[in-house]
Amino acid sequence: MIEAKKLSMVYPDGTEALRDVNFVIPAGASCSIIGPSGCGKSTLLFILAGILKPTGGRVQLGAEPREVALILQDYGLFPWKTVYENVVLGLQIRGIPKSERRRIALSLMDKLGLSSFANHYPKQLSGGMQQRVGFARALALKPKILLMDEPLSSLDALTRETLQNFLLELWKDNGMTMVLVTHSIEEAVFLGKVIIVLTPRPGHVAKIIENLNVGDENYRSKEAFFTKCREVRQNIPPAI
Amino acid sequence: MPRGQAEHPTSYIIAALLLIALWYLASLLLASPELPAPPTVFYAFIAGIRADLGYHILISTFRVVYGIALAGSFAVPLGLLCYINRVDKYTAPVIYLLYPIPHIVLLPLIILLFGIGDLSKIVLIAIIVFFQILVTTRDAARNLSTNYIYSLLSLGATAKDIYRHVILPACLPKILTAMRISVGTSIAVLFFVESFATEKGLGYMIMYAWSRMDYPALYASMVAMALLGLCLYLILECVEKRLCAWIYI
Ligand SMILES: Nc1ncnc2c1ncn2[C@@H]1O[C@H](COP(=O)(O)OP(=O)(O)O)[C@@H](O)[C@H]1O
Ligand SMILES: [Mg+2]
């Protein structure tokens, strides 16, 4: 479970990023957060991940901090580390023994089709492959809560659909709580059992939309999908 | 490959041959003992090596390497610590006040504190190079994107992890470049500190040869100094290629 109570965030320079944000995401649910750019979505994820302290309100997580993983916008990879070094980094920091972290990393890299790139640097990979490295690094930590900041935004449409399917399967198989920030309505509807719509800055919750058909066979081409997209679109506040 | 080209060994050889040809030409045109021809200097160099030139090269190498190492071991940690706002607030003004001063004028003070032996020579080299490395390292640390830090924090990192996995590796290419540049500076300072109160080192050899008007020996020592600088430069370049492979792809 993730509960945000009266969250507000004003940066030291006076920028008000969030104002009175309230929501509850049930344990094991998938949630999409959608809002225009600059409305405070990344800020919100940093607060949920415990990296930034909100200036008001609080967050309750039904999990230990070490059970939360965050995938940053633009993949958050370290250009000076190889794919393998990036993937094991979280495990290394947590003091997992070398042989154990090797085993976990190799099996995940195999699953994500990264095995033959172990010694490549991120720059040598395509965007889609870099994002897979980001997924592998986060999943290696076996998180109960997975936070993702626009993970698929900079990918081409085909790669994007493949990885959307991958995320859906991942969520179905693992029973983890998944929070995905996006600015694509279709993506929000395809992946979010709960869809939180934010207003322009200072971000606050414009609407929370239930989306119970997530995970249905071929949801993308069903009438219910388009109806839901329309509902979300109608609830997005007009940009100023 | 932004920097790959010039490092090809043949381009070094061509450049060296070209310089020697120019030198030859100049010596023919000038026809004066103050600029001996390359072969003369070459023989003087060989004769020097047969005598004690090798020993003086070793002494100079020791002084320069120690000076740069001493400077780096203070400048790098301090520069990296400037990543922390509170440290930078106090350090930056001090750095920028002291940086433009010609530190060579500190020589009397250094001799007073460290005597006239090797130590004061090494310390003067170190002080001058210290600022070059510090300023570069500090700027690199200050310009680090906070996203890297956030990314590492999201994996549960401590302050130590942040230095080890982000700040040091991200700044290392700049640090090594600063050290490569400092080779040139340190050799210039080396000549200065070896030109008095010592009977060892290439600077001394040059001054001594000059006082005897032994120009071939003077140029032989000068060539030795150039080779010393080139070797150190190439070694640092190799280190950079090994440790920072990621910037060359
Ligand atoms: N460290 C910071 N200091 C000051 N303002 C910031 C900082 N980070 C983000 N902002 C501002 O806060 C607002 C929200 O930013 P962000 O959370 O990145 O938005 P989003 O991810 O929705 O595009 C933006 O106006 C941004 O310029
Ligand atoms: Mg963002």
Side-chain angles (χ1 to χ4, degrees), chain A residues 46 51-52 68 70 72 76-81 89-90 92-94 121 123-124 137 141, chain B residues 144 147-148 150-158 161 164-166 169-170 245-247 249:
Chain A
F46 286 141
I51 290 170
L52 289 181
V68 182
L70 168 68
L72 273 81
L77 302 178
F78 300 106
W80 47 87
K81 291 188 181 280
L89 190 54
Q92 189 182 351
I93 283 172
R94 286 174 193 201
Y121 286 95
K123 257 198 287 185
Q124 297 171 295
R137 192 173 72 185
L141 302 173
Chain B
L144 205 72
N147 270 337
Y148 289 133
Y150 287 165
S151 180
L152 201 71
L153 284 175
S154 78
L155 299 170
T158 61
D161 294 321
R164 174 165 165 213
H165 294 293
V166 175
W246 62 279
I247 55 170
I249 47 156

Side-chain angles (χ1 to χ4, degrees), chain B:
Chain B
M1 288 255 184
R3 299 206 257 166
Q5 298 302 324
E7 286 142 22
H8 207 275
T10 51
S11 58
Y12 271 102
I13 293 168
I14 292 171
L17 289 177
L18 204 74
L19 280 177
I20 292 171
L22 276 176
W23 172 7
Y24 214 142
L25 195 69
S27 71
L28 291 178
L29 289 176
L30 220 62
S32 129
E34 274 90 349
L35 186 59
T40 318
V41 173
F42 178 74
Y43 291 126
F45 188 83
I46 298 294
I49 294 289
R50 291 224 172 98
D52 57 355
L53 185 59
Y55 169 75
H56 292 281
I57 293 177
L58 222 61
I59 295 284
S60 287
T61 309
F62 159 80
R63 286 168 175 160
V64 167
V65 170
Y66 246 84
I68 295 179
L70 187 67
S73 59
F74 284 94
V76 171
L78 183 59
L80 293 180
L81 276 174
C82 286
Y83 169 74
I84 302 164
N85 288 334
R86 237 171 330 123
V87 175
D88 191 58
K89 202 170 105 187
Y90 296 104
T91 314
V94 178
I95 298 175
Y96 287 103
L97 269 175
L98 295 182
Y99 183 40
I101 296 174
H103 300 107
I104 273 184
V105 301
L106 295 177
L107 189 62
L109 182 64
I110 290 170
I111 288 178
L112 183 71
L113 291 175
F114 300 104
I116 52 167
D118 272 343
L119 187 59
S120 62
K121 299 184 193 326
I122 292 171
V123 167
L124 188 66
I125 294 175
I127 287 179
I128 292 171
V129 169
F130 169 82
F131 281 96
Q132 287 184 349
I133 301 175
L134 178 61
V135 166
T136 315
T137 311
R138 181 248 169 202
D139 288 351
R142 294 301 298 172
N143 288 322
L144 205 72
S145 156
T146 45
N147 270 337
Y148 289 133
I149 310 289
Y150 287 165
S151 180
L152 201 71
L153 284 175
S154 78
L155 299 170
T158 61
K160 198 179 117 230
D161 294 321
I162 292 178
Y163 272 95
R164 174 165 165 213
H165 294 293
V166 175
I167 300 181
L168 181 60
C171 298
L172 199 56
K174 294 266 174 58
I175 293 172
L176 288 171
T177 303
M179 291 184 100
R180 258 192 302 161
I181 294 171
S182 73
V183 166
T185 315
S186 63
I187 289 198
V189 181
L190 176 80
F191 172 71
F192 175 72
V193 295
E194 284 185 342
S195 60
F196 63 89
T198 183
E199 296 196 337
K200 290 178 282 184
L202 292 172
Y204 162 75
M205 288 295 275
I206 290 174
M207 294 311 282
Y208 182 61
W210 197 359
S211 71
R212 286 174 302 147
M213 291 197 284
D214 181 352
Y215 292 106
L218 188 154
Y219 279 85
S221 310
M222 224 156 75
V223 167
M225 231 177 205
L227 289 177
L228 170 59
L230 181 66
C231 285
L232 292 178
Y233 188 89
L234 290 177
I235 288 171
L236 283 168
E237 196 165 81
C238 284
V239 170
E240 186 178 333
K241 283 215 155 133
R242 264 197 83 89
L243 294 184
C244 310
W246 62 279
I247 55 170
Y248 292 101
I249 47 156

Side-chain angles (χ1 to χ4, degrees), chain A residues 41-42 73 149-150:
Chain A
K41 303 182 298 295
S42 298
Q73 204 166 347
D149 195 355
E150 304 197 22

